[in-house]
Amino acid sequence: MTTPVGRGAFIVLEGCDRAGKSTQCRLLVEKLKDSNIPAELVVFPDRSTPIGQVISEYLKKEVQLPDQAIHLLFTANRWERAEEIKSKLEKGCTLIVDRYSYSGVAYSSAKEKKTSSFQWYKNPEEGLPKPDAVFYLNLEPEIIAERKGFGGERYESAQFQKDVAECFKKLNDGSWKIVDADKLIEDLTTELYSYVTEIVRLSKDKPLGVM
Ligand code: DGP
Ligand code: NA
Ligand code: NA
């Protein structure tokens, strides 16, 4: 089903912690709205749902869970929003999404340091709406380590982020747009925005894909 103006685009920003995803997502939504392109921000994990609250407690180290269990909860958190995502896109709203299934697979498999298990982690993501574009905000691990502001959450250590970055690299099927994130906030926004508007234009008449 498409509206006369076409559907919205499903655009995901990925990357390690401290790469600047949340700031860029917020600024991109503002810029789209300023140009009268209907747009909304979606953030994963969505800590506001019942499942999201368990995820939040896990990240704050208030609860312990087996790796497999927390992995499935992160995925369930995406499934919780899947119908709403599809319906918003169909109504012509572009969604700028702060993390998605790729974070799910990268963070979980970084714990094991073996990519042979990628498939196990990918399986429960199958069937979710598929992004029209993935922008990977690339920062060298040394620069991530220098960026201040690692909090006390579970995954926030320089070594773990380095392992996550390795997993992201192996996960990229070649379709991601890798963007150098080591630049001024507004310069990065300008660069991303030009890609985003192109994707919005190209996605209008395309059926939404499935993971
Ligand atoms: P954020 O709010 O973007 O800082 O994400 C919180 C933390 O959770 C961050 O370290 C990345 C991690 N994370 C995000 N999505 C997933 C996921 O699906 N699975 C796992 N294991 N970790 C995730
Ligand atoms: Na974080
Ligand atoms: Na974030």
Side-chain angles (χ1 to χ4, degrees):
M1 192 185 78
T2 50
T3 55
V5 286
R7 71 166 172 90
F10 181 7
I11 295 168
V12 168
L13 269 66
E14 281 287 8
C16 291
D17 287 75
R18 313 298 307 151
K21 291 178 305 302
S22 302
T23 304
Q24 292 302 324
C25 284
R26 188 171 43 76
L27 292 171
L28 287 169
V29 170
E30 278 175 22
K31 246 173 129 69
L32 287 163
K33 285 181 170 169
D34 287 347
S35 310
N36 290 317
I37 300 171
E40 275 183 37
L41 174 67
V42 176
V43 177
F44 289 115
D46 174 358
R47 301 189 191 211
S48 73
T49 69
I51 290 169
Q53 277 160 32
V54 178
I55 293 172
S56 182
E57 286 166 14
Y58 171 83
L59 289 170
K60 288 190 261 179
K61 302 175 192 165
E62 292 166 3
V63 296
Q64 306 296 327
L65 285 166
D67 292 344
Q68 295 89 343
I70 189 65
H71 178 74
L72 294 171
L73 288 179
F74 271 109
T75 308
N77 189 233
R78 286 183 278 279
W79 278 105
E80 284 187 291
R81 303 286 305 272
E83 281 311 310
E84 179 199 347
I85 285 175
K86 280 196 268 185
S87 132
K88 286 195 165 150
L89 292 170
E90 275 167 10
K91 285 180 187 136
C93 183
T94 284
L95 298 177
I96 303 294
V97 183
D98 185 352
R99 298 190 185 276
Y100 201 55
S101 306
Y102 314 97
S103 278
V105 179
Y107 279 76
S108 283
S109 51
K111 296 174 189 176
E112 288 198 37
K113 299 198 174 165
K114 60 170 200 232
T115 49
S116 55
S117 53
F118 267 5
Q119 197 54 50
W120 191 91
Y121 293 118
K122 280 181 180 174
N123 283 342
E125 309 289 330
E126 249 180 62
L128 283 170
K130 187 178 178 173
D132 295 299
V134 177
F135 297 125
Y136 182 77
L137 270 53
N138 190 53
L139 268 193
E140 294 311 314
E142 300 72 43
I143 296 172
I144 292 181
E146 276 168 21
R147 286 201 174 183
K148 302 285 178 253
F150 267 142
E153 288 208 331
R154 196 174 286 265
Y155 300 137
E156 297 184 324
S157 80
Q159 181 56 50
F160 188 72
Q161 294 297 319
K162 203 171 170 176
D163 295 338
V164 170
E166 282 302 307
C167 290
F168 269 128
K169 276 200 185 109
K170 289 177 186 146
L171 254 187
N172 180 5
D173 62 2
S175 70
W176 299 1
K177 180 87 195 163
I178 312 288
V179 181
D180 175 12
D182 188 20
K183 50 173 73 95
L184 287 174
I185 289 177
E186 66 243 45
D187 291 347
L188 186 51
T189 309
T190 305
E191 181 178 348
L192 287 169
Y193 189 70
S194 77
Y195 298 134
V196 163
T197 49
E198 180 68 0
I199 300 295
V200 168
R201 195 178 62 76
L202 292 173
S203 305
K204 277 189 193 327
D205 307 310
K206 265 198 332 194
L208 181 65
V210 178
M211 295 284 282

